[in-house]
Structures are given as structure tokens and as C-alpha cells.
Amino acid sequence: MGRRLAPARRAFILLLMAPDPTSICAAEVVLRVLRGRWAMTILMILSERGAMHFGAIERSIKGVSAKVLSEQLRYLRHAGVVSRSSSEQRREVYYELTPRGLELKLALDAINDLARRWPHL
């Protein structure tokens, strides 16, 4: 017969297995913004180059389809880290980082620094 877990230990394990990760770590909320395959790449490109047209973003990312890029930009807009603006004169659409996106860029820089220190991960 197996040993029973202490109530506190059992509660801790149930917390770790909770379906809502935000109840475990507040950072999970921010990491969910980066969930897409191209999210970090899009954020880095926009932070380095400023406002860009959809086509310019697409050309900057090798291997991304227009459909996937559109979905990813829509998700990032919904998360409040990318904004979409248009010029009435030329009917052009631009994407750029919001203040929240610029703040997230600082976190991405820290993650990139960590990744450089952990090259064999």
C-alpha cells in the first residue's frame, strides 16, 4: 500500500497540475503572448525597424506564410503589443509596437541575453 501525501504536499502538487497556469506563475500571462511560432521574430523586427507594412514584415521573415503572419499579427494586436494604423492618403497599413510591446521588448532582450549564455540548451 502506498504512502499518503501530507495535505500541504498534495495541495502543492494539485496546484502544479492546475489547468490554469496563471495560478502558478504570473509570468505565464506574458509568455502566452509569445506563444506563436513567429511572435518573437515579429516583435524583434518591429522593435529594430519601427513601423512596417505587412509585405515588408513578410519579406523579413523567411518561411512564414501570409496567412500565418496575418493570424499572428492579429493575435499580437489583440494582446495589445502591436498596433495597426493606416494612411488615408495611400491606403497603406502599418504595424508597429505599442508601449506595451516596447516594454515586452525589454523582457525579450533579457531572454536573448540568457539564451546566449546557455548555448547548449
Side-chain angles (χ1 to χ4, degrees):
M1 194 146 173
R3 200 175 89 181
R4 290 189 67 146
L5 293 174
R9 177 83 172 143
R10 185 171 189 270
F12 178 72
I13 290 172
L14 290 174
L15 180 64
L16 288 177
M17 295 175 12
D20 182 7
T22 60
S23 64
I24 298 169
C25 178
E28 186 69 29
V29 174
V30 174
L31 293 174
R32 264 193 252 145
V33 173
L34 304 173
R35 71 180 168 88
R37 165 115 162 60
W38 304 105
M40 287 188 269
T41 303
I42 293 167
L43 293 173
M44 295 303 279
I45 287 171
L46 291 176
S47 71
E48 291 170 1
R49 301 181 189 172
M52 295 177 70
H53 298 281
F54 179 89
I57 299 170
E58 186 178 20
R59 287 188 298 276
S60 299
I61 305 173
K62 303 292 184 235
V64 68
S65 69
K67 178 186 175 199
V68 170
L69 179 59
S70 178
E71 289 170 355
Q72 194 73 89
L73 285 167
R74 190 176 308 116
Y75 179 79
L76 292 171
R77 283 179 52 221
H78 179 71
V81 296
V82 170
S83 67
R84 180 181 187 262
S85 58
S86 58
S87 167
E88 292 182 20
Q89 297 170 342
R90 298 172 129 191
R91 293 187 179 189
E92 296 175 337
V93 175
Y94 296 91
Y95 293 91
E96 62 187 327
L97 294 183
T98 64
R100 181 181 271 187
L102 293 169
E103 190 176 5
L104 184 57
K105 166 66 167 74
L106 297 174
L108 285 177
D109 288 342
I111 291 170
N112 278 330
D113 290 343
L114 180 63
R116 287 184 194 101
R117 291 191 306 269
W118 293 8
H120 303 291
L121 186 62

